[in-house]
Amino acid sequence: MIFSAVQDNSTEPQPDPAGLLPYKDQPPRRFRVRTVLFPLLFLGLHWLIANVAATVYLVVYVFLQGNTVNPLEILGDTGRLQQILTEQYPIISVIYAGVLIPFYFLFLYVQKGRDSRAVLLDRPTLKGIFPAVAMMVGALGLTNIWFNLLTMWSEHSDSIHSLLDDYSEQAGAFGPETSYFWLILGISIMAPIAEELLFRGIIQGELRRAMPEWAAILIQGLIFALFHMQPIQISYVILPGMLLGIAYAWTGSLWVPIVMHISFNFLGSVLPSLVGNDEILSNILGISEMGFILVGILSFIYLYRNYRSNQRAAKSTGLSGHFYSGV
């Protein structure tokens, strides 16, 4: 089973992060200043560290090229700096994520000690991970369809065409200019872990202590999408953001959305870079992902039924454990 439950026959009051006990026996959900303050502070911290890391790296990188070019000329050329930033972004993501991940883990560890609802760290199982990853592959299939629609739309809309061009420039960061090692480590591993600790661990954790789970999932998903800022990226990140929040709530394990996010970034960004300009392989990849849409829907239903089954079992047996009020 995805969820663990241990029977407790003691007379001591037991914590009920699941919300399965009568309302009077639960720690009440309460909207407080920290419900808004903590997400805003950590979003600001994430943005600040990422930008500081990028700035410091760019300055060091430019001055290391001093033997061949004048560093001051490059620093004064915004276009050239943007090109370097795009090419070197995988390394930059490793740097800022490496700073943030230990800090996020420490914060979540402290929070869990104070309130077990703050972060869900049940041990993941294959029965939870496989369908969750299948959902994300299905989401990639829907993303491919959405991009095809946007491409057709752009033929009749200059604004959509401009947004797609801008997105393509930003997507250049997912190229192998710095080597595939940095691309995989930065884009597929480090950045997803840092973002999951922030959005599902900290932000959804704060929200779920103040409101029903469905509301926390909806809000964190919207924040996750808007944080990407680029309109095209926002439009397709909303669905994965919601699925990550749902999987987190239904499995009770932060490790599950981490694996999902790593899979999404690898299949959606790194693998296309590995395929390169091979049209046949690109078509096979795209069709395979679209073929997973139905599998993703069935996996969604499976996870939901498994979640509800475990909830009913907990209520009928009186077990207390990591079962959480759901969507």
Side-chain angles (χ1 to χ4, degrees):
M1 290 181 22
I2 293 177
F3 303 88
S4 61
V6 179
Q7 189 163 9
D8 194 327
N9 297 318
S10 70
T11 58
E12 292 290 328
Q14 296 299 310
D16 184 43
L20 299 179
L21 296 176
Y23 180 78
K24 64 183 178 62
D25 296 324
Q26 296 180 45
R29 286 191 172 98
R30 188 157 56 101
F31 192 92
R32 297 172 292 179
V33 173
R34 63 174 292 161
T35 306
V36 175
L37 183 61
F38 274 34
L40 289 178
L41 285 175
F42 279 97
L43 284 169
L45 176 68
H46 195 97
W47 180 87
L48 177 64
I49 296 299
N51 280 274
V52 169
T55 301
V56 172
Y57 182 86
L58 282 177
V59 171
V60 173
Y61 178 86
V62 167
F63 274 92
L64 288 177
Q65 312 302 311
N67 293 332
T68 56
V69 293
N70 184 351
L72 296 180
E73 290 183 5
I74 298 179
L75 291 175
D77 186 343
T78 304
R80 176 59 177 148
L81 284 176
Q82 183 60 47
Q83 180 185 355
I84 296 173
L85 176 63
T86 299
E87 293 174 353
Q88 301 296 313
Y89 185 75
I91 296 178
I92 295 170
S93 64
V94 171
I95 296 171
Y96 80 72
V99 172
L100 289 170
I101 288 172
F103 180 73
Y104 288 164
F105 266 121
L106 177 62
F107 176 80
L108 290 172
Y109 176 79
V110 173
Q111 291 302 104
K112 185 170 181 62
R114 295 176 177 175
D115 187 339
S116 59
R117 296 173 301 175
V119 55
L120 316 182
L121 291 174
D122 276 8
R123 181 180 299 175
T125 67
L126 296 180
K127 291 169 62 177
I129 291 176
F130 281 161
V133 170
M135 287 197 307
M136 292 304 276
V137 181
L140 274 171
L142 291 173
T143 300
N144 288 334
I145 294 174
W146 175 238
F147 266 95
N148 288 333
L149 292 174
L150 286 175
T151 300
M152 290 188 291
W153 190 6
S154 69
E155 297 175 359
H156 309 285
S157 171
D158 291 338
S159 59
I160 298 299
H161 190 276
S162 177
L163 289 173
L164 282 173
D165 286 344
D166 178 64
Y167 174 77
S168 296
E169 291 181 10
Q170 292 192 20
F174 304 119
E177 285 79 5
T178 59
S179 83
Y180 286 110
F181 171 80
W182 292 109
L183 184 63
I184 293 172
L185 181 62
I187 303 302
S188 287
I189 300 176
M190 297 292 284
I193 293 175
E195 290 183 2
E196 287 312 303
L197 294 175
L198 171 62
F199 289 97
R200 260 55 67 180
I202 296 173
I203 294 178
Q204 187 170 335
E206 286 296 325
L207 295 174
R208 69 195 307 276
R209 295 165 66 184
M211 60 190 69
E213 193 81 68
W214 67 265
I217 291 171
L218 178 63
I219 293 173
Q220 67 79 29
L222 292 174
I223 294 173
F224 178 65
L226 292 172
F227 191 75
H228 288 77
M229 291 186 283
Q230 208 282 337
I232 296 297
Q233 199 169 12
I234 290 173
S235 70
Y236 74 78
V237 165
I238 290 178
L239 176 60
M242 297 296 179
L243 292 178
L244 289 165
I246 288 171
Y248 179 41
W250 286 356
T251 64
S253 175
L254 186 57
W255 304 113
V256 172
I258 286 175
V259 174
M260 292 168 68
H261 200 151
I262 289 173
S263 302
F264 188 88
N265 279 21
F266 179 80
L267 295 174
S269 299
V270 177
L271 191 56
S273 179
L274 292 170
V275 169
N277 296 322
D278 191 313
E279 186 174 349
I280 295 178
L281 289 179
S282 295
N283 289 335
I284 292 175
L285 179 61
I287 293 172
S288 299
E289 289 170 351
M290 286 188 283
F292 256 83
I293 294 175
L294 178 59
V295 178
I297 293 172
L298 295 176
S299 297
F300 181 91
I301 295 171
Y302 169 81
L303 280 180
Y304 176 71
R305 294 185 64 180
N306 197 50
Y307 163 74
R308 295 298 297 176
S309 175
N310 281 288
Q311 251 197 346
R312 287 192 295 269
K315 289 179 180 179
S316 64
T317 60
L319 300 179
S320 65
H322 298 299
F323 297 84
Y324 297 86
S325 54
V327 182

